[in-house]
Amino acid sequence: MSKANSTGTRQREEEDEHGSAHGAAGEQLSTAPREERPDTGAGVPAMSVIGWVRWFWRQLTSMRVALILLFLLSLGAIPGSLIPQTSVDDMKVQAFKERHTTLTPIYEALQLFDVYSSVWFSAIYILLFVSLIGCIVPRTGQFVGQLRSRPPGAPKRLTRLPAYTTWRTEAEPEEVRATALRLLRGRRFRGHEVGDAVAAEKGYLREAGNLVFHIALIVMLIAFASGQLFKSEGGKLVVEGDGFSNTLTQYDDFKSGSLYDSDSLAPFSFVLDDFVGTYEKSGPQRGTPRTFEARVTYNEGADGAERKGVIKVNEPLVVDGTKVYLIAHGYAPVVTVRDGKGKVVSKSAVPLLPIDNNITSSGAIKVMDGYKDKNGKKTQLGFKAFFVPTFAGHGKGQMFSQFPALDFPVLALSAYQGSLGVDSGLAQNVYQLDTSKMKEFKDKDKDGELLKKMLMPGEKLDLPDGAGSITYEGTEEWASFQISQQPGNGWALGGAVAAIAGLAGSLFIQRRRVWVRAVRGADGVTVVEMAGLGRSESAKLPEELGDLSAALVTTAPVAPEKPAASTSTDGPDATNEAGSRPVHPAEAPAEGAEK
């Protein structure tokens, strides 16, 4: 009688000398490093320093620790996303510190304002890097060794494997084995003939995908590190008609990685020809930008030819590996300042910073040189400026813009004279006016109040006592750009794609082995046995084995039943061990049951 195992039946715990071969075959399906547990007992000596080092290395390079470190790295990146970072926006960090005086000392002690360069984040990063390398190297060696080796021979008792089928055929054993080998190779199995059986194996891409996933993680870590160490990033505000050259002195602000060399700045320049912005004029999305682009003329290299380009949101201008992003837009009123004699001492477009979505803007106009008062004494002028591109009109509420486009521009000014404080050598915000050492111009028509006035294009504000005037000539537009050079982005993207592909392969590809044994029985009829073993239980393994047996039976058909030689109470079917057809693994009875 033949025995057959069902798909879900596990092998017995008590393996005999034949079943141990099946256990060894199952263990060889994994490339994970084997952990050798030392014998425990009362007389175990204490580990030496080398022993502790080996133990620590084994723990660090285990998959469990690698996953823990990866989780800690993801967890550590959370405060870097929620708390302002010095490397991104120092102004926001200073504002945060002013608002949260209690939390600031704690955050500073924990380096939460510099998460990605902190000691604790770097330690997790380096340990994860070492853990992944230490985990991948031995697994790669074992995987390469398995690729170079052949599948092991068939266990003596194939009936003990999870998927099994058998039948009898009149074909020769050699013919059956040769046909089985061709069939398995045609289905992309690696196979060879060992003794009286064919051994084949498939699904190596599962472990290859696992290795690709871990190698891709290392590539991403290296790309991230190189991007932080060698990056450069700066901002520049450019008024229409003005330009920018990629040198350190041209930046409004500039930050770089610790290993960045300023000599590696890509040589290029551009001029902002025009900024085009159109907005939705009605409906619930009124004021939403519809066109938001900067049209530029740029040169690549010191002597490069001029080219036209358009920079849009999320569509940067790329020049020699450097990306120029459009990040903001605003207005720059053009003002002319004259002294008491009518001499022009200043004429320029002064950028103002938006304070709301309708581009209501504020800032300061400073006249630092060339101005003299009525007595001929050199002094400085300052004007607080408030600008609205679309004014609601007098008597219609506060002076805030009603729409982001230049439909009804109005500039409100208040005037001061004295020292701007720019000669002290201390850094000063160009958009703020320090009036601590300045005096207000008084409006004689309003009982000596601060002199202030709202101007439309072409109007002017006369300073009292013949001190001069300031004229609002018109309005230019400005655009703010972020110029960044960050190597490793391509590698990081490639690593992410490879990681996803490798993870998919390791999850959905099953590694399995198939054995086909064909031997001549005592009655001269060939007995064919097929069995399969997967690295993990899968409902597809019995189905695949059934398909293979169905394909093989076309060239090794089931032998017809022979009539019983004598009368038996078991009936005529008892003389045929395998029955009239191969037993599909899914139909096989449980182990120990007789058919």
Side-chain angles (χ1 to χ4, degrees):
M1 298 296 181
S2 65
K3 294 183 179 180
N5 292 344
S6 66
T7 304
T9 304
R10 300 181 180 275
Q11 68 180 71
R12 296 176 180 177
E13 295 181 359
E14 303 85 3
E15 289 186 328
D16 56 15
E17 59 180 350
H18 305 304
S20 62
H22 157 49
E27 291 178 359
Q28 292 179 12
L29 285 175
S30 175
T31 61
R34 296 186 180 91
E35 295 185 1
E36 299 178 0
R37 298 181 179 179
D39 295 334
T40 58
V44 176
M47 285 194 299
S48 62
V49 175
I50 297 178
W52 278 108
V53 171
R54 289 177 177 174
W55 178 86
F56 177 78
W57 177 253
R58 288 175 181 172
Q59 298 301 315
L60 179 62
T61 56
S62 66
M63 186 60 63
R64 178 180 62 257
V65 173
L67 292 175
I68 292 174
L69 290 173
L70 186 61
F71 173 74
L72 290 177
L73 191 71
S74 303
L75 197 64
I78 294 177
S81 302
L82 300 179
I83 300 173
Q85 299 295 295
T86 304
S87 59
V88 177
D89 194 331
D90 189 56
M91 297 291 292
K92 286 187 177 180
V93 173
Q94 295 301 324
F96 183 91
K97 290 180 178 180
E98 292 175 0
R99 294 193 308 268
H100 304 86
T101 55
T102 304
L103 290 176
T104 295
I106 301 175
Y107 283 8
E108 288 179 341
L110 297 176
Q111 298 179 299
L112 294 183
F113 294 116
D114 300 278
V115 168
Y116 303 110
S117 59
S118 63
V119 174
W120 55 270
F121 191 86
S122 300
I124 297 174
Y125 190 91
I126 294 173
L127 286 175
L128 176 61
F129 191 80
V130 174
S131 177
L132 289 174
I133 293 178
C135 180
I136 288 174
V137 170
R139 293 174 72 95
T140 303
Q142 293 179 17
F143 180 63
V144 172
Q146 289 188 2
L147 287 177
R148 299 178 63 182
S149 63
R150 291 185 171 187
K156 189 170 184 179
R157 296 183 61 183
L158 292 177
T159 57
R160 301 180 64 86
L161 297 184
Y164 173 80
T165 186
T166 182
W167 72 94
R168 290 154 53 90
T169 182
E170 293 181 350
E172 295 296 324
E174 295 79 6
E175 180 184 355
V176 174
R177 290 194 293 269
T179 303
L181 184 59
R182 289 195 303 269
L183 173 65
L184 290 168
R185 286 178 175 175
R187 301 199 179 192
R188 299 189 302 277
F189 278 85
R190 278 197 325 138
H192 67 119
E193 192 170 344
V194 185
D196 60 358
V198 172
E201 190 169 7
K202 187 179 182 181
Y204 282 96
L205 288 180
R206 178 187 181 92
E207 187 63 25
N210 194 12
L211 293 175
V212 167
F213 172 74
H214 289 85
I215 293 173
L217 288 181
I218 292 181
V219 171
M220 293 172 64
L221 290 175
I222 294 175
F224 177 77
S226 64
Q228 292 297 313
L229 293 174
F230 297 97
K231 73 173 183 179
S232 68
E233 185 177 276
K236 180 63 178 179
L237 187 149
V238 183
V239 180
E240 287 177 330
D242 292 342
F244 167 78
S245 180
N246 195 28
T247 59
L248 286 179
T249 57
Q250 289 279 299
Y251 283 92
D252 294 333
D253 59 86
F254 183 84
K255 294 179 181 179
S256 62
S258 57
L259 299 182
Y260 181 78
D261 184 4
S262 60
D263 293 336
S264 60
L265 283 171
F268 72 91
S269 61
F270 67 86
V271 174
L272 177 60
D273 299 325
D274 186 26
F275 180 87
V276 179
T278 59
Y279 308 90
E280 187 68 34
K281 293 188 176 182
S282 61
Q285 294 186 337
R286 185 175 185 272
T288 302
R290 294 305 179 205
T291 304
F292 201 83
E293 60 186 34
R295 299 173 181 175
V296 299
T297 301
Y298 68 97
N299 302 75
E300 184 174 356
D303 301 318
E306 288 188 352
R307 300 179 183 177
K308 296 290 184 178
V310 177
I311 306 175
K312 301 179 182 180
V313 177
N314 296 326
E315 295 183 20
L317 173 68
V318 182
V319 183
D320 195 15
T322 301
K323 294 183 178 180
V324 182
Y325 293 91
L326 174 63
I327 60 174
H329 158 257
Y331 296 105
V334 180
V335 294
T336 301
V337 179
R338 294 177 172 86
D339 61 13
K341 297 180 180 181
K343 178 183 176 182
V344 176
V345 295
S346 174
K347 183 176 182 179
S348 62
V350 182
L352 304 180
L353 294 183
I355 60 175
D356 61 20
N357 292 333
N358 287 326
I359 319 185
T360 302
S361 307
S362 66
I365 300 172
K366 302 178 183 181
V367 180
M368 294 177 284
D369 299 309
Y371 176 78
K372 295 180 181 180
D373 60 15
K374 60 181 180 179
N375 300 320
K377 182 181 177 181
K378 289 184 178 181
T379 186
Q380 295 174 331
L381 297 179
F383 301 88
K384 288 185 177 179
F386 197 84
F387 176 78
V388 289
T390 302
F391 183 45
H394 292 285
K396 295 185 179 180
Q398 296 179 341
M399 185 179 171
F400 280 92
S401 179
Q402 306 301 305
F403 194 70
L406 280 174
D407 292 344
F408 188 4
V410 171
L411 175 65
L413 298 175
S414 55
Y416 300 81
Q417 66 175 341
S419 174
L420 293 169
V422 295
D423 299 328
S424 62
L426 299 177
Q428 192 179 79
N429 192 329
V430 296
Y431 302 103
Q432 294 180 353
L433 185 65
D434 182 7
T435 60
S436 60
K437 297 182 180 180
M438 304 190 78
K439 294 181 180 180
E440 299 176 350
F441 279 102
K442 301 297 183 178
D443 190 345
K444 295 181 179 180
D445 297 333
K446 296 184 179 181
D447 298 329
E449 293 181 2
L450 173 65
L451 179 64
K452 54 186 178 181
K453 185 178 180 180
M454 289 191 298
L455 306 175
M456 289 188 290
E459 296 182 345
K460 69 177 180 177
L461 169 64
D462 291 318
L463 302 178
D465 300 327
S469 65
I470 178 170
T471 305
Y472 173 29
E473 306 286 357
T475 309
E476 298 284 355
E477 298 187 58
W478 59 259
S480 181
F481 300 93
Q482 177 181 296
I483 300 94
S484 63
Q485 182 180 4
Q486 189 165 7
N489 285 345
W491 285 98
L493 177 60
V497 173
I500 295 174
L503 184 61
S506 65
L507 291 177
F508 298 111
I509 298 176
Q510 183 188 9
R511 190 172 172 192
R512 62 271 195 201
R513 285 173 178 161
V514 173
W515 291 276
V516 181
R517 174 177 286 136
V519 295
R520 194 180 301 279
D523 57 356
V525 179
T526 300
V527 178
V528 182
E529 291 181 290
M530 293 186 69
L533 174 66
R535 183 172 181 178
S536 59
E537 283 193 30
S538 173
K540 293 183 178 181
L541 179 61
E543 295 177 4
E544 185 176 30
L545 191 67
D547 293 339
L548 289 171
S549 64
L552 183 59
V553 82
T554 58
T555 55
V558 177
E561 281 189 37
K562 294 181 180 180
S566 60
T567 303
S568 172
T569 59
D570 292 338
D573 290 343
T575 61
N576 188 0
E577 182 181 6
S580 61
R581 62 181 179 87
V583 181
H584 193 286
E587 300 172 349
E591 182 179 352
E594 293 186 356
K595 177 176 173 64

